[in-house]
Amino acid sequence: MAAPGDLLLADGSIEAGPHRAVPPCRHFPECGGCQLQHVDDEAYGEFLKHRIASALAAQGLAAPDILTPHISPPMSRRRASLHAESRGRQVLLGFKAEKSHQVIDMRECFILRPELFALVAPLRKLMGDLLGKRGSGGVKMVLADQGVDVLLEKVSVEGLQASEALTAFAHGHGLARLSIDDGYGPQTRWEPEPVTVTLGTARHPSEGWDLRPPRAQESVLAEAPAFAGATSRGIAVPLPHGAFLQATAEGEAALVAAVGEAVGGASVVADLFAGLGTFALTLRGRVLAAEGARDAALALKSAANRAQRQVFVDHRDLFRRPYDVKELNRFEAVVLDPPRAGAKEQTVPLAASEVPRIAFVSCNPATFARDAKTLIDGGYRLDWVKPVGQFRWSTHVELAAMFVKRL
């Protein structure tokens, strides 16, 4: 619980240094949602940079130019997974304590969007009713275009009265969608209109920014590099249950800007592990979007067709069927945004390819460094890395990086 610059005194107490901050939340440090509320943003930014540099060093790689980190502001997280536990008359709802099964009953939160936190108290009562006197479950919330999408896990709703109560809850709190997962997959119980999330809202900086929420403009505009690959209008993409969405709008904008800078003026681009199209829908020219999750691939295809975008969607498992060198050589740039496991299988043929530029997005510095070594050994140069702290005050580090093929 020390901060950089603190002093350890002879009696074992700590004398606060210049980078110590007063934790704003009453649940810190018990709550596992945050580990670093006691350090200021300067020290937190240095922590993000050090995590990346250390991961690269572990692979024998020198750190490139590590840019100024983006740190999403407080109360900007637009998705969350909470745990619920019923203990007779007491119902707990919140994040778990770090490395523990203990649920910290959330009474305030400085990372969630206000729209999400406003539902915590009502959901606590609802989960208590559904779980009975003893039980545990989960609550997943995502802020969509139409409002909050809520998925209740490990609960069952039986009978007309219980179903009507669930509908009344969803209607009364203006939910975009309410679903139940009793162990057999999500079942939608309330969805007045199809739920969507708008992607591709970042513009070229010379045109200004169109981000949600509006305050995101201030946190990204000053640091976002100019790039030639962004659309000026957002595209509403159907939001499947459990689909991946960047944690904050501000972090998404920072990653989109970094990817656009790395891709440059490329007019034929492959977006691998494309998801719902966070990057594919911001790129000009012809885009191949490969995604292994069927629901996400169909959602992206539907949105791209409706918007008449030149995005070809390939439902493809890149771990089992990565693109080979011949296929990759058709592209002027490649965007990689793999899950935490990285892109080991796809990186090998990519390293042997002649693709001029690679934009690599990662949520795991360790697997990124492993895959970066493969690319560098294959003839690529790592130009820069942009750290992105979407999970403010946590030890979770995300990044975007640019690789260029050496001549």
Side-chain angles (χ1 to χ4, degrees), residues 265-352:
S267 58
V268 183
V269 182
D271 183 5
L272 309 184
F273 306 95
L276 295 175
T278 300
F279 303 113
L281 295 175
T282 66
L283 299 170
R284 289 195 184 119
R286 291 175 293 166
V287 179
L288 167 68
E291 171 55 40
R294 182 175 180 272
D295 288 348
L298 291 175
L300 173 54
K301 183 176 182 179
S302 171
N305 289 344
R306 189 170 57 251
Q308 298 184 330
R309 297 296 308 281
Q310 295 186 70
V311 177
F312 173 77
V313 180
D314 185 9
H315 176 216
R316 182 166 180 155
D317 185 339
L318 296 174
F319 295 105
R320 297 181 178 180
R321 274 201 317 133
Y323 289 106
D324 60 30
V325 173
K326 183 178 179 180
E327 292 171 308
L328 292 168
N329 284 340
R330 296 157 40 198
F331 299 99
E332 298 173 10
V334 166
V335 179
L336 275 176
D337 183 16
R340 291 187 60 81
K344 182 179 180 180
E345 293 78 7
Q346 184 60 79
T347 304
V348 173
L350 187 56

Coordinates of all heavy atoms in Angstrom, one line a residue, residues 265-352:
G265 N -2.5 5.2 -44.4 CA -3.4 5.4 -45.6 C -3.7 4.1 -46.3 O -4.2 4.1 -47.4
A266 N -3.5 3.0 -45.6 CA -3.8 1.7 -46.3 C -5.3 1.6 -46.7 O -6.2 2.0 -46.0 CB -3.5 0.5 -45.3
S267 N -5.5 1.1 -47.9 CA -6.8 1.0 -48.5 C -7.4 -0.4 -48.5 O -8.5 -0.6 -48.8 CB -6.9 1.6 -49.9 OG -6.0 0.9 -50.7
V268 N -6.5 -1.4 -48.2 CA -7.0 -2.8 -48.2 C -6.4 -3.3 -46.8 O -5.2 -3.5 -46.7 CB -6.4 -3.6 -49.4 CG1 -7.0 -5.0 -49.3 CG2 -6.8 -3.0 -50.7
V269 N -7.3 -3.5 -45.9 CA -6.9 -3.9 -44.5 C -7.6 -5.1 -44.0 O -8.8 -5.3 -44.3 CB -7.2 -2.7 -43.6 CG1 -6.7 -3.0 -42.1 CG2 -6.6 -1.4 -44.1
A270 N -6.9 -5.9 -43.3 CA -7.5 -7.1 -42.6 C -7.6 -6.8 -41.1 O -6.6 -6.4 -40.5 CB -6.7 -8.3 -42.8
D271 N -8.8 -6.9 -40.5 CA -9.0 -6.7 -39.1 C -9.2 -8.1 -38.5 O -10.3 -8.7 -38.7 CB -10.2 -5.8 -38.9 CG -10.5 -5.5 -37.4 OD1 -9.6 -6.0 -36.6 OD2 -11.5 -4.9 -37.1
L272 N -8.2 -8.6 -37.8 CA -8.3 -10.0 -37.3 C -8.7 -10.0 -35.9 O -8.2 -9.2 -35.1 CB -6.9 -10.7 -37.5 CG -6.4 -10.6 -38.9 CD1 -5.1 -11.4 -39.0 CD2 -7.4 -11.1 -40.0
F273 N -9.6 -10.9 -35.5 CA -10.3 -10.9 -34.2 C -11.1 -9.6 -34.1 O -11.0 -8.8 -33.2 CB -9.3 -10.9 -33.0 CG -8.3 -12.1 -33.1 CD1 -7.1 -11.9 -33.6 CD2 -8.7 -13.3 -32.6 CE1 -6.2 -13.0 -33.7 CE2 -7.8 -14.4 -32.7 CZ -6.5 -14.2 -33.2
A274 N -12.0 -9.4 -35.1 CA -12.7 -8.1 -35.3 C -13.8 -7.8 -34.3 O -14.2 -6.7 -34.1 CB -13.2 -8.0 -36.7
G275 N -14.3 -8.8 -33.7 CA -15.4 -8.6 -32.7 C -16.6 -8.0 -33.4 O -17.0 -8.4 -34.5
L276 N -17.2 -7.0 -32.8 CA -18.4 -6.3 -33.4 C -18.0 -5.2 -34.4 O -18.8 -4.6 -35.0 CB -19.2 -5.6 -32.2 CG -19.8 -6.5 -31.2 CD1 -20.5 -5.7 -30.1 CD2 -20.9 -7.4 -31.9
G277 N -16.7 -5.0 -34.6 CA -16.2 -4.0 -35.6 C -15.7 -2.7 -35.0 O -15.7 -1.7 -35.7
T278 N -15.2 -2.8 -33.8 CA -14.6 -1.6 -33.2 C -13.7 -0.8 -34.1 O -13.7 0.4 -34.2 CB -13.9 -1.9 -31.8 OG1 -14.9 -2.5 -31.0 CG2 -13.3 -0.7 -31.2
F279 N -12.8 -1.6 -34.8 CA -11.8 -1.0 -35.7 C -12.3 -1.1 -37.1 O -12.1 -0.2 -37.9 CB -10.5 -1.7 -35.5 CG -10.0 -1.6 -34.0 CD1 -9.9 -2.7 -33.3 CD2 -9.7 -0.4 -33.5 CE1 -9.4 -2.6 -32.0 CE2 -9.3 -0.3 -32.1 CZ -9.1 -1.4 -31.4
A280 N -12.8 -2.2 -37.5 CA -13.2 -2.4 -38.9 C -14.2 -1.3 -39.4 O -14.1 -0.9 -40.5 CB -13.9 -3.8 -39.1
L281 N -15.0 -0.8 -38.5 CA -16.0 0.2 -38.9 C -15.4 1.6 -38.9 O -16.1 2.6 -39.2 CB -17.3 0.1 -38.0 CG -18.1 -1.2 -38.2 CD1 -19.2 -1.2 -37.1 CD2 -18.6 -1.4 -39.6
T282 N -14.2 1.8 -38.5 CA -13.6 3.1 -38.5 C -12.6 3.2 -39.7 O -12.0 4.3 -39.8 CB -12.8 3.4 -37.2 OG1 -11.7 2.5 -37.1 CG2 -13.7 3.2 -36.0
L283 N -12.3 2.2 -40.4 CA -11.3 2.2 -41.5 C -11.9 2.5 -42.8 O -13.0 1.9 -43.2 CB -10.6 0.8 -41.5 CG -9.9 0.5 -40.2 CD1 -9.4 -1.0 -40.2 CD2 -8.7 1.4 -39.9
R284 N -11.2 3.2 -43.6 CA -11.6 3.5 -45.0 C -11.2 2.4 -45.9 O -10.4 1.5 -45.5 CB -11.0 4.8 -45.5 CG -11.6 6.1 -44.9 CD -11.3 7.3 -45.7 NE -11.8 8.5 -45.0 CZ -11.0 9.5 -44.6 NH1 -9.7 9.4 -44.8 NH2 -11.5 10.6 -44.1
G285 N -11.7 2.4 -47.1 CA -11.3 1.4 -48.1 C -12.0 0.0 -47.9 O -13.0 -0.1 -47.2
R286 N -11.3 -1.0 -48.4 CA -11.9 -2.4 -48.3 C -11.3 -3.0 -47.0 O -10.1 -3.0 -46.8 CB -11.6 -3.2 -49.5 CG -12.3 -2.7 -50.8 CD -11.9 -3.4 -52.0 NE -10.5 -3.1 -52.4 CZ -9.8 -3.8 -53.2 NH1 -10.3 -4.9 -53.8 NH2 -8.5 -3.4 -53.5
V287 N -12.2 -3.6 -46.2 CA -11.8 -4.2 -45.0 C -12.3 -5.7 -44.9 O -13.4 -6.0 -45.1 CB -12.3 -3.5 -43.8 CG1 -11.9 -4.1 -42.5 CG2 -11.8 -2.0 -43.8
L288 N -11.3 -6.6 -44.6 CA -11.7 -8.0 -44.3 C -11.8 -8.0 -42.8 O -10.8 -7.8 -42.1 CB -10.7 -9.0 -44.8 CG -10.8 -10.4 -44.3 CD1 -12.1 -11.0 -44.8 CD2 -9.6 -11.2 -44.6
A289 N -12.9 -8.4 -42.2 CA -13.0 -8.6 -40.8 C -13.2 -10.0 -40.4 O -14.3 -10.6 -40.8 CB -14.2 -7.7 -40.3
A290 N -12.3 -10.6 -39.7 CA -12.3 -12.0 -39.3 C -12.7 -12.1 -37.9 O -12.0 -11.5 -37.0 CB -11.0 -12.7 -39.6
E291 N -13.7 -13.0 -37.5 CA -14.1 -13.1 -36.1 C -14.6 -14.5 -35.9 O -15.4 -15.1 -36.7 CB -15.2 -12.1 -35.8 CG -15.9 -12.3 -34.5 CD -15.0 -12.3 -33.3 OE1 -14.0 -11.5 -33.3 OE2 -15.2 -13.2 -32.4
G292 N -14.2 -15.1 -34.8 CA -14.5 -16.5 -34.5 C -15.9 -16.7 -33.8 O -16.5 -17.8 -33.9
A293 N -16.4 -15.7 -33.1 CA -17.7 -15.8 -32.5 C -18.8 -15.5 -33.5 O -18.8 -14.5 -34.1 CB -17.7 -14.8 -31.3
R294 N -19.6 -16.5 -33.7 CA -20.6 -16.4 -34.7 C -21.6 -15.3 -34.5 O -21.9 -14.5 -35.5 CB -21.4 -17.8 -34.7 CG -22.5 -17.8 -35.8 CD -23.2 -19.2 -35.9 NE -24.2 -19.3 -36.9 CZ -25.4 -18.9 -36.7 NH1 -25.8 -18.5 -35.5 NH2 -26.3 -19.0 -37.7
D295 N -22.1 -15.0 -33.3 CA -23.0 -14.0 -33.1 C -22.4 -12.6 -33.4 O -23.1 -11.7 -34.0 CB -23.5 -14.0 -31.6 CG -24.5 -15.1 -31.4 OD1 -24.9 -15.8 -32.3 OD2 -24.8 -15.4 -30.2
A296 N -21.2 -12.4 -33.0 CA -20.5 -11.1 -33.2 C -20.3 -10.9 -34.7 O -20.5 -9.8 -35.3 CB -19.2 -11.1 -32.5
A297 N -19.9 -12.0 -35.4 CA -19.7 -11.9 -36.9 C -20.9 -11.5 -37.6 O -20.9 -10.7 -38.5 CB -19.1 -13.2 -37.4
L298 N -22.0 -12.2 -37.2 CA -23.3 -11.9 -37.9 C -23.8 -10.4 -37.6 O -24.3 -9.8 -38.4 CB -24.4 -12.9 -37.4 CG -24.2 -14.3 -37.9 CD1 -25.3 -15.2 -37.2 CD2 -24.3 -14.4 -39.4
A299 N -23.6 -10.0 -36.3 CA -23.9 -8.6 -36.0 C -23.1 -7.6 -36.8 O -23.7 -6.6 -37.3 CB -23.7 -8.4 -34.5
L300 N -21.8 -7.8 -36.9 CA -21.0 -6.9 -37.7 C -21.4 -6.9 -39.2 O -21.5 -5.9 -39.8 CB -19.5 -7.3 -37.6 CG -18.5 -6.6 -38.5 CD1 -18.6 -5.1 -38.3 CD2 -17.1 -7.0 -38.2
K301 N -21.7 -8.1 -39.7 CA -22.0 -8.2 -41.1 C -23.4 -7.5 -41.4 O -23.5 -6.7 -42.4 CB -22.2 -9.7 -41.5 CG -22.5 -9.9 -43.0 CD -22.6 -11.4 -43.3 CE -22.9 -11.6 -44.8 NZ -22.9 -13.1 -45.1
S302 N -24.3 -7.6 -40.5 CA -25.6 -6.9 -40.6 C -25.4 -5.4 -40.6 O -26.0 -4.7 -41.4 CB -26.5 -7.4 -39.5 OG -27.7 -6.6 -39.5
A303 N -24.6 -4.9 -39.6 CA -24.4 -3.5 -39.5 C -23.7 -2.9 -40.7 O -24.0 -1.9 -41.2 CB -23.7 -3.2 -38.2
A304 N -22.6 -3.6 -41.2 CA -21.9 -3.1 -42.3 C -22.7 -3.1 -43.6 O -22.6 -2.2 -44.4 CB -20.6 -4.0 -42.5
N305 N -23.5 -4.1 -43.8 CA -24.4 -4.2 -45.0 C -25.4 -3.1 -44.9 O -25.7 -2.4 -46.0 CB -25.1 -5.5 -45.1 CG -24.1 -6.7 -45.5 OD1 -23.0 -6.4 -45.9 ND2 -24.5 -7.9 -45.3
R306 N -26.0 -2.8 -43.8 CA -27.0 -1.8 -43.7 C -26.4 -0.4 -43.9 O -27.0 0.5 -44.5 CB -27.6 -1.9 -42.3 CG -28.9 -1.0 -42.1 CD -29.6 -1.3 -40.8 NE -28.7 -1.1 -39.6 CZ -28.3 -2.1 -38.9 NH1 -28.6 -3.4 -39.3 NH2 -27.5 -1.9 -37.9
A307 N -25.2 -0.2 -43.5 CA -24.5 1.1 -43.7 C -23.8 1.2 -45.0 O -23.2 2.2 -45.3 CB -23.5 1.3 -42.6
Q308 N -23.9 0.1 -45.8 CA -23.2 0.0 -47.1 C -21.7 0.3 -47.1 O -21.2 1.0 -47.9 CB -23.9 1.0 -48.1 CG -25.4 0.7 -48.4 CD -26.0 1.6 -49.4 OE1 -25.6 2.8 -49.5 NE2 -27.0 1.1 -50.1
R309 N -21.1 -0.4 -46.1 CA -19.6 -0.3 -45.9 C -19.0 -1.4 -46.6 O -19.5 -2.5 -46.7 CB -19.3 -0.3 -44.4 CG -19.8 0.9 -43.6 CD -19.2 2.2 -44.1 NE -17.8 2.1 -44.2 CZ -17.0 2.2 -43.1 NH1 -17.5 2.5 -41.9 NH2 -15.7 2.2 -43.2
Q310 N -17.7 -1.2 -47.1 CA -17.0 -2.2 -47.8 C -16.2 -3.1 -46.8 O -15.0 -3.1 -46.7 CB -16.0 -1.6 -48.8 CG -16.6 -0.9 -49.9 CD -15.6 -0.4 -50.9 OE1 -14.9 -1.2 -51.6 NE2 -15.3 0.9 -51.0
V311 N -17.0 -3.8 -46.0 CA -16.5 -4.7 -45.0 C -17.0 -6.1 -45.3 O -18.2 -6.4 -45.2 CB -16.9 -4.3 -43.6 CG1 -16.4 -5.3 -42.5 CG2 -16.5 -2.9 -43.2
F312 N -16.0 -7.0 -45.6 CA -16.3 -8.4 -45.8 C -16.0 -9.2 -44.5 O -14.9 -9.1 -44.0 CB -15.5 -9.0 -46.9 CG -15.6 -10.5 -47.1 CD1 -16.7 -11.0 -47.7 CD2 -14.7 -11.4 -46.6 CE1 -16.9 -12.4 -47.9 CE2 -14.8 -12.7 -46.7 CZ -16.0 -13.2 -47.4
V313 N -17.1 -9.8 -44.0 CA -16.9 -10.5 -42.7 C -16.7 -12.0 -42.9 O -17.5 -12.7 -43.6 CB -18.2 -10.3 -41.8 CG1 -18.0 -11.0 -40.5 CG2 -18.4 -8.8 -41.6
D314 N -15.7 -12.5 -42.3 CA -15.3 -13.9 -42.4 C -15.4 -14.5 -41.0 O -14.7 -14.2 -40.1 CB -13.9 -14.1 -42.9 CG -13.5 -15.5 -43.2 OD1 -14.4 -16.4 -43.1 OD2 -12.3 -15.8 -43.5
H315 N -16.4 -15.4 -40.9 CA -16.6 -16.1 -39.6 C -15.5 -17.2 -39.6 O -15.7 -18.3 -40.2 CB -18.0 -16.8 -39.5 CG -18.2 -17.6 -38.3 ND1 -19.0 -18.7 -38.3 CD2 -17.7 -17.4 -37.0 CE1 -19.0 -19.2 -37.0 NE2 -18.2 -18.5 -36.3
R316 N -14.4 -17.0 -38.8 CA -13.3 -17.9 -38.9 C -12.6 -17.9 -37.5 O -12.3 -16.9 -36.9 CB -12.3 -17.3 -40.0 CG -11.1 -18.2 -40.2 CD -10.4 -17.7 -41.5 NE -9.2 -18.4 -41.8 CZ -8.7 -18.6 -43.0 NH1 -9.4 -18.1 -44.1 NH2 -7.6 -19.3 -43.3
D317 N -12.2 -19.1 -37.1 CA -11.5 -19.3 -35.9 C -10.0 -19.2 -36.2 O -9.4 -20.1 -36.8 CB -11.8 -20.7 -35.3 CG -11.1 -21.0 -34.0 OD1 -10.1 -20.3 -33.7 OD2 -11.6 -21.9 -33.3
L318 N -9.4 -18.1 -35.8 CA -8.0 -17.8 -36.2 C -7.0 -18.6 -35.4 O -5.8 -18.6 -35.7 CB -7.7 -16.3 -36.1 CG -8.5 -15.4 -37.0 CD1 -8.3 -14.0 -36.8 CD2 -8.1 -15.7 -38.5
F319 N -7.5 -19.3 -34.3 CA -6.6 -20.2 -33.6 C -6.4 -21.5 -34.3 O -5.4 -22.1 -34.4 CB -7.1 -20.4 -32.2 CG -7.1 -19.2 -31.3 CD1 -8.3 -18.5 -31.0 CD2 -5.9 -18.7 -30.8 CE1 -8.3 -17.4 -30.3 CE2 -5.9 -17.6 -30.0 CZ -7.1 -16.9 -29.7
R320 N -7.5 -22.0 -34.9 CA -7.5 -23.3 -35.6 C -7.2 -23.1 -37.1 O -6.6 -24.0 -37.7 CB -8.8 -24.0 -35.5 CG -9.2 -24.4 -34.0 CD -10.5 -25.1 -34.0 NE -10.8 -25.5 -32.6 CZ -11.9 -26.2 -32.2 NH1 -12.8 -26.5 -33.2 NH2 -12.1 -26.5 -31.0
R321 N -7.6 -21.9 -37.7 CA -7.4 -21.7 -39.1 C -6.9 -20.3 -39.4 O -7.6 -19.4 -39.9 CB -8.7 -21.9 -39.9 CG -9.1 -23.3 -40.3 CD -10.1 -23.3 -41.4 NE -11.2 -22.4 -41.3 CZ -11.6 -21.6 -42.3 NH1 -11.0 -21.6 -43.4 NH2 -12.6 -20.8 -42.1
P322 N -5.6 -20.0 -39.0 CA -5.1 -18.7 -39.2 C -4.9 -18.5 -40.7 O -4.7 -19.5 -41.5 CB -3.7 -18.8 -38.5 CG -3.4 -20.2 -38.4 CD -4.7 -21.0 -38.3
Y323 N -4.8 -17.2 -41.1 CA -4.6 -16.9 -42.5 C -3.1 -17.3 -42.8 O -2.2 -17.0 -42.0 CB -4.8 -15.5 -42.8 CG -6.3 -15.1 -42.8 CD1 -6.9 -14.4 -41.8 CD2 -7.1 -15.5 -43.9 CE1 -8.2 -14.1 -41.8 CE2 -8.5 -15.2 -43.9 CZ -9.0 -14.5 -42.8 OH -10.4 -14.2 -42.8
D324 N -2.8 -17.8 -44.0 CA -1.5 -18.1 -44.4 C -0.8 -16.9 -45.0 O -1.4 -15.9 -45.2 CB -1.4 -19.4 -45.3 CG -2.2 -19.2 -46.6 OD1 -2.2 -18.0 -47.1 OD2 -2.7 -20.2 -47.1
V325 N 0.5 -17.1 -45.3 CA 1.3 -16.0 -45.8 C 0.7 -15.5 -47.2 O 0.6 -14.2 -47.4 CB 2.8 -16.5 -46.0 CG1 3.6 -15.4 -46.8 CG2 3.4 -16.8 -44.7
K326 N 0.3 -16.4 -48.0 CA -0.2 -16.0 -49.3 C -1.5 -15.1 -49.2 O -1.7 -14.1 -49.8 CB -0.5 -17.2 -50.2 CG -1.0 -16.8 -51.6 CD -1.2 -18.1 -52.4 CE -1.8 -17.8 -53.8 NZ -2.0 -19.0 -54.6
E327 N -2.3 -15.5 -48.3 CA -3.6 -14.7 -48.0 C -3.2 -13.4 -47.4 O -3.8 -12.4 -47.8 CB -4.5 -15.5 -47.1 CG -5.1 -16.8 -47.7 CD -5.8 -17.6 -46.7 OE1 -5.2 -18.0 -45.6 OE2 -7.0 -18.0 -47.0
L328 N -2.3 -13.3 -46.5 CA -2.0 -12.1 -45.8 C -1.3 -11.1 -46.7 O -1.5 -9.9 -46.6 CB -1.0 -12.4 -44.6 CG -1.7 -13.1 -43.4 CD1 -0.6 -13.6 -42.5 CD2 -2.7 -12.3 -42.7
N329 N -0.5 -11.6 -47.7 CA 0.2 -10.7 -48.6 C -0.7 -9.8 -49.5 O -0.2 -8.9 -50.1 CB 1.2 -11.5 -49.5 CG 2.4 -11.9 -48.7 OD1 2.7 -11.3 -47.6 ND2 3.1 -12.9 -49.2
R330 N -2.0 -10.1 -49.5 CA -3.0 -9.3 -50.2 C -3.2 -7.9 -49.6 O -3.8 -7.1 -50.2 CB -4.3 -10.0 -50.4 CG -4.1 -11.3 -51.2 CD -5.2 -12.3 -50.9 NE -6.5 -11.7 -50.8 CZ -7.6 -12.3 -50.2 NH1 -7.4 -13.6 -49.7 NH2 -8.7 -11.7 -50.1
F331 N -2.8 -7.8 -48.3 CA -3.3 -6.6 -47.5 C -2.1 -5.6 -47.4 O -1.0 -6.0 -47.3 CB -3.8 -7.0 -46.2 CG -5.0 -8.0 -46.3 CD1 -4.8 -9.3 -46.1 CD2 -6.2 -7.5 -46.5 CE1 -5.9 -10.2 -46.2 CE2 -7.3 -8.3 -46.6 CZ -7.2 -9.7 -46.5
E332 N -2.5 -4.3 -47.3 CA -1.6 -3.2 -47.1 C -1.3 -3.0 -45.6 O -0.4 -2.4 -45.3 CB -2.1 -1.9 -47.8 CG -2.3 -2.1 -49.3 CD -3.0 -0.9 -49.9 OE1 -3.1 0.2 -49.1 OE2 -3.3 -0.9 -51.1
A333 N -2.2 -3.5 -44.8 CA -2.1 -3.4 -43.3 C -3.0 -4.4 -42.7 O -4.0 -4.9 -43.3 CB -2.5 -2.0 -42.8
V334 N -2.6 -4.8 -41.5 CA -3.3 -5.8 -40.7 C -3.5 -5.2 -39.3 O -2.6 -4.6 -38.7 CB -2.6 -7.1 -40.6 CG1 -3.2 -8.0 -39.5 CG2 -2.6 -7.9 -41.9
V335 N -4.8 -5.4 -38.8 CA -5.1 -5.0 -37.4 C -5.3 -6.3 -36.6 O -6.0 -7.2 -37.1 CB -6.4 -4.1 -37.3 CG1 -6.7 -3.8 -35.9 CG2 -6.2 -2.9 -38.1
L336 N -4.6 -6.4 -35.5 CA -4.7 -7.6 -34.6 C -5.3 -7.1 -33.3 O -4.7 -6.2 -32.6 CB -3.4 -8.2 -34.4 CG -2.8 -9.3 -35.4 CD1 -1.4 -9.7 -35.0 CD2 -3.7 -10.5 -35.5
D337 N -6.4 -7.7 -32.8 CA -6.9 -7.4 -31.5 C -7.3 -8.7 -30.8 O -8.5 -9.0 -30.7 CB -8.0 -6.4 -31.6 CG -8.6 -6.1 -30.2 OD1 -7.9 -6.3 -29.2 OD2 -9.7 -5.5 -30.1
P338 N -6.4 -9.6 -30.5 CA -6.7 -10.9 -30.0 C -7.1 -10.9 -28.5 O -7.0 -9.9 -27.8 CB -5.4 -11.7 -30.1 CG -4.3 -10.6 -29.9 CD -4.9 -9.4 -30.6
P339 N -7.7 -12.0 -28.0 CA -8.0 -12.1 -26.6 C -6.7 -12.2 -25.7 O -5.6 -12.1 -26.3 CB -8.9 -13.4 -26.5 CG -8.5 -14.2 -27.7 CD -8.1 -13.2 -28.7
R340 N -6.9 -12.4 -24.4 CA -5.7 -12.4 -23.5 C -4.7 -13.4 -23.9 O -3.5 -13.3 -23.6 CB -6.2 -12.6 -22.1 CG -7.0 -11.4 -21.5 CD -7.2 -11.6 -20.0 NE -6.0 -11.7 -19.3 CZ -5.3 -10.7 -18.9 NH1 -5.6 -9.4 -19.2 NH2 -4.2 -10.9 -18.2
A341 N -5.1 -14.5 -24.5 CA -4.2 -15.6 -24.9 C -3.2 -15.1 -26.0 O -2.3 -15.8 -26.3 CB -5.0 -16.8 -25.3
G342 N -3.5 -14.0 -26.7 CA -2.7 -13.5 -27.7 C -3.0 -14.1 -29.1 O -4.1 -14.7 -29.2
A343 N -2.1 -14.0 -30.0 CA -2.4 -14.5 -31.4 C -1.2 -15.3 -31.9 O -0.7 -15.1 -33.0 CB -2.6 -13.2 -32.3
K344 N -0.8 -16.3 -31.1 CA 0.4 -17.0 -31.4 C 0.3 -17.7 -32.8 O 1.2 -17.7 -33.6 CB 0.7 -18.1 -30.3 CG 1.9 -18.9 -30.5 CD 2.1 -19.9 -29.3 CE 3.3 -20.8 -29.5 NZ 3.5 -21.7 -28.4
E345 N -0.8 -18.4 -33.0 CA -1.0 -19.2 -34.2 C -1.0 -18.2 -35.4 O -0.5 -18.6 -36.5 CB -2.3 -20.0 -34.2 CG -2.2 -21.1 -33.1 CD -2.4 -20.6 -31.7 OE1 -2.7 -19.4 -31.5 OE2 -2.3 -21.5 -30.8
Q346 N -1.6 -17.1 -35.3 CA -1.7 -16.2 -36.5 C -0.4 -15.4 -36.6 O -0.1 -14.9 -37.7 CB -2.9 -15.2 -36.3 CG -3.1 -14.3 -37.4 CD -3.4 -15.0 -38.7 OE1 -4.5 -15.5 -38.9 NE2 -2.5 -15.1 -39.6
T347 N 0.3 -15.1 -35.6 CA 1.5 -14.3 -35.6 C 2.6 -14.9 -36.5 O 3.4 -14.3 -37.1 CB 2.0 -14.0 -34.2 OG1 1.0 -13.4 -33.5 CG2 3.2 -13.0 -34.3
V348 N 2.7 -16.3 -36.4 CA 3.8 -17.0 -37.1 C 3.7 -16.7 -38.6 O 4.7 -16.3 -39.3 CB 3.8 -18.5 -36.8 CG1 4.8 -19.2 -37.7 CG2 4.1 -18.7 -35.3
P349 N 2.6 -17.0 -39.3 CA 2.5 -16.6 -40.8 C 2.6 -15.1 -41.0 O 3.1 -14.7 -42.0 CB 1.2 -17.2 -41.2 CG 0.4 -17.4 -40.0 CD 1.3 -17.7 -38.9
L350 N 2.1 -14.3 -40.1 CA 2.1 -12.9 -40.3 C 3.6 -12.4 -40.3 O 4.0 -11.5 -41.0 CB 1.3 -12.2 -39.2 CG 1.1 -10.7 -39.3 CD1 0.5 -10.3 -40.6 CD2 0.3 -10.2 -38.1
A351 N 4.4 -13.0 -39.4 CA 5.8 -12.6 -39.3 C 6.5 -12.9 -40.6 O 7.5 -12.2 -41.0 CB 6.5 -13.3 -38.2
A352 N 6.1 -14.0 -41.3 CA 6.7 -14.4 -42.6 C 6.2 -13.7 -43.8 O 6.6 -13.9 -44.9 CB 6.6 -15.9 -42.7

